[in-house]
Amino acid sequence: MKDFVNNPYFHDQRKKYLSKLDIESIDPPIVELISGFAKLDYCFTLQSCYGHFLHNSQKNPYKIEPLPVSNSISNAEYKIAYIALCIENSKQGKFIFQHLRDIPSIDPEYIQFGCAEWFWERQVNSYALQVEPKRHMTKDRLSVDYWEALHIEEVRNKFFTQLKKLVQDLID
């Protein structure tokens, strides 16, 4: 995990990212969350994905319907759920950072918090939360047993619920 560095350009960078934010391109279940982050002046979203499951009866990579409980599906391809943020090196930024660090406690084997080197190279003070099995934490897509996919979906839903609650508490 990288430590915060000084970034005198944070507010200009935030303004630039927010001007390019296309709410229509955000997965519908997380539009409210991304919009909430946009209201916090000490962070901004770099990228996000709700997390998508593909299986023999669902081939559309953009579908967001819940997985069916089924004995006829043996595995699923999972495109990971994540949110990447740039956080200001400030008291408020460090406050949200501490709360984001607690999110993996939902299920530490399936939620990670850290820095992706390639995000950091493009934007200092960038951090990501992702939902995927720890053993696959460096992959964007993976294939899992269907019953594990059901568990990942449950963790993903708790993950976004907790993030929405955090952001709403910070806005209020």
Side-chain angles (χ1 to χ4, degrees), residues 55-144:
H55 50 83
N56 57 1
S57 60
Q58 203 304 89
K59 308 251 186 239
N60 184 335
Y62 302 104
K63 289 281 186 175
I64 54 172
E65 286 86 24
L67 289 167
V69 176
S70 171
N71 288 323
S72 65
I73 303 172
S74 60
N75 59 32
E77 182 180 345
Y78 173 57
K79 181 180 173 190
I80 70 166
Y82 72 95
I83 186 161
L85 301 164
C86 180
I87 303 173
E88 183 181 29
N89 183 9
S90 66
K91 184 178 177 182
Q92 289 175 308
K94 290 176 181 174
F95 180 81
I96 195 171
F97 175 87
Q98 290 304 321
H99 285 281
L100 294 172
R101 284 182 61 160
D102 293 340
I103 299 286
S105 68
I106 295 168
D107 189 331
E109 289 301 311
Y110 286 85
I111 301 174
Q112 300 86 43
F113 177 65
C115 317
E117 191 65 39
W118 67 276
F119 269 129
W120 194 277
E121 288 171 3
R122 289 184 7 209
Q123 183 64 59
V124 297
N125 300 334
S126 62
Y127 299 91
L129 276 159
Q130 63 185 24
V131 178
E132 72 178 315
K134 195 176 200 176
R135 68 188 185 277
H136 295 292
M137 65 189 239
T138 60
K139 298 177 183 173
D140 291 339
R141 294 176 174 257
L142 53 133
S143 183
V144 292

Side-chain angles (χ1 to χ4, degrees), residues 23-33 50 52 62 64 164:
I23 289 297
E24 298 297 317
S25 70
I26 306 294
D27 292 324
I30 59 173
V31 166
E32 181 183 336
L33 175 65
Y50 180 63
H52 303 272
Y62 302 104
I64 54 172
K164 286 176 188 175

Side-chain angles (χ1 to χ4, degrees), residues 1-27:
M1 182 80 66
K2 291 184 177 267
D3 292 327
F4 282 100
V5 297
N6 288 330
N7 180 6
Y9 309 106
F10 174 84
H11 289 285
D12 291 335
Q13 292 165 341
R14 180 178 179 278
K15 188 176 182 179
K16 179 181 172 186
Y17 269 88
L18 290 178
S19 73
K20 294 180 181 179
L21 180 61
D22 177 12
I23 289 297
E24 298 297 317
S25 70
I26 306 294
D27 292 324

